[in-house]
Amino acid sequence: MGKKAADFKWVLYVCAGAVGLYLLLPLLMIILTSVSMGASTKFPPEGLTLEWYGKLADQKQFLQAFLNSIAASAGAVALALVAGTLAALAIIQYPFRGSGVLRAFFMSPMVMPKITLGVAYLILFSKMHIAGGLFALILGEAVIVLPFVLSIVGSAMANLNAAHREAAADLGAGPFRIFFTVTLPQLRLSLLLAGSIAFVFTFDQVETALLILRQGSYTLPIQLFLYMEKWQDPTVAVVSVVLIAFALTLFFAIKLVIRSAPGLENLLGSGQNKRRS
């Protein structure tokens, strides 16, 4: 029995390693392509050079597009966090008749085709005379990521201890003070998680941005797409490597923030104790 369990464990290790290699292989190919010596994207590369990294500084359109992506994603995440938290507060802590239908309505953008939403936004924002700029993209992307915020923050809010709010109310605190001093501090980890997921999702958004934006307001994914239509050099791979480094930096920064939160550390510690027991 012990030998069979050990053999099965090694089979799991091999399968997990194969899946990990399959996931990492495209990233490794991008990294190798970014240091290719040739003037076109070939694999395997003819030679290795860092020349394309030096030339990236001359591509000013990518820097502007990156800043546009950061601004649009940050604005959309901020708007979605505010709207999603308030919606979760109304649905979870102050339920009313029809709140389930309202929740389903707020969650509907998650299952809607993004190209359909993009066309709808193009028509709407054209009528409002704001199509073509980042403000329109922020409004559109905020609606798209609102379900993530509502789902994560709503789940955390449903698990809060109502006794804390009741104690604050007994001491004379009003609804606004209870929300900002009792409820909101307990939601900081869920807000961080929801904001991180929403930021990554909006940063890589293509369908909606492609229909709404005009030249001068292009985000980085659109700028990369337009560049690949004209050129096939490793510049796109270089930009992709820079984005991978940016994503890893963001991931580890969020991980450090989460590890520094006492509540999460206690939660993880209790989970480990339960496993040991």
Side-chain angles (χ1 to χ4, degrees):
M1 185 65 182
K3 186 177 184 303
K4 291 182 179 180
D7 294 340
F8 182 71
K9 183 176 66 173
W10 280 109
V11 171
L12 290 179
Y13 286 160
V14 172
C15 292
V19 172
L21 180 62
Y22 175 76
L23 295 176
L24 288 176
L25 192 58
L27 301 181
L28 295 176
M29 292 184 65
I30 290 176
I31 295 174
L32 288 177
T33 303
S34 67
V35 294
S36 176
M37 187 175 294
S40 59
T41 54
K42 294 181 180 180
F43 191 87
E46 300 175 352
L48 301 180
T49 180
L50 296 177
E51 176 185 1
W52 298 105
Y53 284 88
K55 291 182 178 180
L56 182 62
D58 299 330
Q59 304 289 347
K60 303 297 183 182
Q61 71 274 19
F62 289 129
L63 177 60
Q64 183 60 47
F66 177 77
L67 296 178
N68 290 340
S69 295
I70 293 290
S73 297
V77 168
L79 185 58
L81 285 177
V82 173
T85 302
L86 294 178
L89 183 67
I91 295 172
I92 303 299
Q93 291 193 359
Y94 302 97
F96 53 92
R97 182 178 297 179
S99 58
V101 177
L102 183 62
R103 179 185 177 89
F105 174 74
F106 284 147
M107 298 294 292
S108 61
M110 184 179 291
V111 297
M112 288 288 293
K114 300 303 179 291
I115 190 68
T116 303
L117 287 176
V119 173
Y121 289 145
L122 176 62
I123 297 173
L124 175 63
F125 294 149
S126 297
K127 296 293 183 180
M128 298 172 61
H129 304 288
I130 61 173
L134 291 179
F135 179 67
L137 182 61
I138 289 174
L139 294 179
E141 289 185 341
V143 174
I144 294 176
V145 298
L146 180 63
F148 296 102
V149 178
L150 180 58
S151 178
I152 296 174
V153 177
S155 298
M157 194 174 294
N159 293 322
L160 295 181
N161 191 349
H164 297 160
R165 300 192 302 272
E166 294 173 358
D170 292 340
L171 293 174
F176 287 99
R177 188 171 183 179
I178 292 175
F179 173 73
F180 285 106
T181 60
V182 178
T183 303
L184 194 59
Q186 297 181 73
L187 296 175
R188 60 185 183 275
L189 293 178
S190 60
L191 289 171
L192 176 62
L193 178 60
S196 303
I197 295 176
F199 183 87
V200 172
F201 191 86
T202 55
F203 191 89
D204 201 29
Q205 182 63 236
V206 177
E207 299 91 342
T208 304
L210 189 62
L211 291 170
I212 294 178
L213 297 180
R214 298 293 181 268
Q215 189 172 7
S217 301
Y218 287 150
T219 56
L220 188 57
I222 297 178
Q223 197 65 57
L224 289 173
F225 176 76
L226 296 176
Y227 187 89
M228 291 181 62
E229 286 185 334
K230 298 179 180 179
W231 312 99
Q232 297 296 324
D233 57 44
T235 301
V236 174
V238 172
V239 177
S240 301
V241 172
V242 174
L243 288 179
I244 293 173
F246 172 75
L248 290 176
T249 303
L250 183 62
F251 169 77
F252 285 112
I254 294 173
K255 187 175 181 179
L256 288 175
V257 172
I258 293 178
R259 290 187 63 182
S260 65
L264 187 60
E265 287 297 318
N266 295 335
L267 179 62
L268 293 177
S270 62
Q272 291 176 356
N273 293 333
K274 289 180 180 180
R275 294 190 191 97
R276 291 174 183 174
S277 61

